[in-house]
Amino acid sequence: MACIVNFSAITQPKPQPCFASLPASTSSHRSNSPKLQTSYLSFASNNSRISLRYDRTLAVSPPRETLLSKAPNFMIVAAAKKPEPLKIMISGAPASGKGTQCELITQKYGLVHVAAGDLLRAEVAAGSENGRRAKQFMEKGQLVPDEIVVMMVKERLLRPDAHKNGWLLDGYPRSSSQATALKEFGFEPDLFILLDVAEDTLVERVVGRRLDPVTGKIYHLKYSPPETEEIAARLTQRFDDTEEKVKLRLCTHHQNVEAVLSMYKDITVKVNGNLSKNDVFAKIDSVLDELLEQRKAGSGYLEANKA
Ligand code: AP5
């Protein structure tokens, strides 16, 4: 398929006059051969590159005398669109390994990790009004009201780094109203990862979990112990990481999970989260790899009438 573009501003096959209206990365060259009479013009924006070819044979027989008929014709010979960054949601019961997998995913794919629980804990630590209110719900293992969580997540997703690098949303949405709010703000994920873990394993993971306040790294006393004595000495435990509280969180999770899943069923990948953290990651990694390959193929390196 050939696309013909008429540049009415140009009366000679010289690409230079176009430059004023094209992005800074525009480049051009002309064939030295007098027979070919061909000029190339290429320009790029953040997401795409378009290459144009001027061919004298296209310009010599205009269809009829119009305002544009003296203008040379450029043919799009190649257009490549850079794939959009990934937008992923990860979900699962308390301690199913969401945070652990997010660490590995962001290391490899450079997505911005947005964890609703971390945003809330930061508010609690800052002693803000929202933090004080949120803590009352978190201590009971209940969902923090939407008016606090929804805006917090929205504001984080709107920051330029998330827009540029893509995002990995962890622990949000947890109700259909949160999912609907996100959609209304225009945030649509490409993939919904669901970590599936047996219930008795979850309790053991919560009770043994420890956090490094210096690096933010998640440890487990049995499955992922700290590397050094120095790290071991500074580890902390979350205020809601007790057996009693995780049971409340599990109950809340069961009440809401189906409503959320039903909204993303077309893009959901269920991953067995009972395996070791590296095996779980290997599965997620293969899904993300495949998604990126599909993106590249779909972004269409369009070549028409190649010179
Ligand atoms: P949040 O912080 O999101 O807690 P959660 O959902 O209960 O999940 P966790 O952070 O406990 O677990 P995780 O799945 O990240 O597991 P991790 O990787 O750490 O939310 C806390 C509270 O905030 C909620 O209860 C609610 O009150 C509020 N809240 C949050 N989001 C909200 C929202 N959207 N709306 C309203 N309120 C909200 O792993 C756990 C442990 O297991 C670690 O020790 C780890 O080392 C170990 N581990 C991980 N993977 C493996 C593995 N494969 N094998 C062996 N061990 C493993």
Side-chain angles (χ1 to χ4, degrees):
M1 183 189 78
C3 289
I4 307 298
V5 180
N6 283 310
F7 284 81
S8 58
I10 318 170
T11 53
Q12 294 297 315
K14 291 178 188 168
Q16 287 87 340
C18 280
F19 284 14
S21 59
L22 292 175
S25 59
T26 303
S27 63
S28 76
H29 77 266
R30 289 184 77 176
S31 163
N32 287 332
S33 160
K35 280 184 189 164
L36 283 175
Q37 294 276 319
T38 299
S39 295
Y40 289 95
L41 183 63
S42 180
F43 57 92
S45 69
N46 283 347
N47 290 323
S48 54
R49 167 167 287 280
I50 295 182
S51 301
L52 302 172
R53 188 188 75 201
Y54 166 81
D55 193 322
R56 189 172 187 281
T57 55
L58 292 168
V60 290
S61 51
R64 60 193 165 86
E65 195 69 18
T66 68
L67 195 64
L68 296 176
S69 63
K70 288 201 173 67
N73 294 301
F74 281 81
M75 178 178 289
I76 296 177
V77 291
K81 194 170 185 321
K82 209 168 120 190
E84 288 282 312
L86 290 176
K87 290 165 279 176
I88 312 288
M89 283 178 181
I90 187 160
S91 166
S96 53
K98 301 183 290 295
T100 301
Q101 292 305 318
C102 286
E103 226 174 82
L104 299 170
I105 296 169
T106 49
Q107 267 167 27
K108 176 156 181 192
Y109 292 91
L111 305 177
V112 174
H113 180 203
V114 179
D118 289 347
L119 294 176
L120 288 166
R121 278 184 288 278
E123 288 293 320
V124 173
S128 68
E129 178 53 29
N130 275 344
R132 271 194 294 275
R133 276 192 67 205
K135 194 172 182 194
Q136 295 167 11
F137 293 89
M138 293 167 86
E139 281 186 326
K140 291 185 226 150
Q142 294 171 352
L143 293 187
V144 173
D146 282 2
E147 70 262 22
I148 298 177
V149 181
V150 171
M151 294 317 284
M152 223 178 248
V153 169
K154 179 194 171 194
E155 275 162 24
R156 184 61 191 91
L157 289 177
L158 280 175
R159 300 231 306 250
D161 59 342
H163 181 72
K164 182 170 172 247
N165 303 318
W167 42 260
L168 175 59
L169 190 48
D170 164 3
Y172 185 104
R174 294 197 194 208
S175 64
S176 54
S177 62
Q178 290 185 3
T180 306
L182 204 65
K183 201 171 175 185
E184 282 170 5
F185 296 137
F187 296 108
E188 301 252 24
D190 305 305
L191 183 71
F192 187 96
I193 300 170
L194 175 65
L195 295 178
D196 188 30
V197 178
E199 201 128 328
D200 45 354
T201 305
L202 296 171
V203 177
E204 192 195 4
R205 285 188 187 177
V206 160
V207 176
R209 171 168 46 195
R210 297 292 183 275
L211 301 170
D212 182 347
V214 176
T215 61
K217 201 170 164 193
I218 307 164
Y219 290 95
H220 190 280
L221 296 178
K222 182 172 166 190
Y223 301 115
S224 196
E227 297 88 350
T228 63
E229 284 293 316
E230 190 191 348
I231 298 172
R234 67 183 185 222
L235 293 181
T236 59
Q237 195 171 13
R238 263 169 51 175
F239 64 82
D240 56 351
D241 270 357
T242 62
E243 190 168 342
E244 177 206 355
K245 282 178 181 156
V246 76
K247 287 189 172 151
L248 297 172
R249 275 152 61 198
L250 269 169
C251 187
T252 305
H253 170 75
H254 291 312
Q255 282 163 5
N256 294 289
V257 67
E258 283 309 322
V260 174
L261 290 184
S262 68
M263 296 186 72
Y264 298 105
K265 57 177 184 297
D266 296 342
I267 53 162
T268 296
V269 172
K270 195 169 175 178
V271 175
N272 179 0
N274 297 291
L275 308 173
S276 76
K277 76 172 187 182
N278 289 333
D279 287 344
V280 176
F281 179 65
K283 171 70 186 160
I284 293 175
D285 191 25
S286 73
V287 173
L288 293 181
D289 244 16
E290 200 181 313
L291 183 63
L292 280 175
E293 282 307 315
Q294 282 171 11
R295 282 286 190 83
K296 275 190 215 150
S299 70
Y301 190 88
L302 181 152
E303 277 195 84
N305 293 296
K306 212 171 178 181

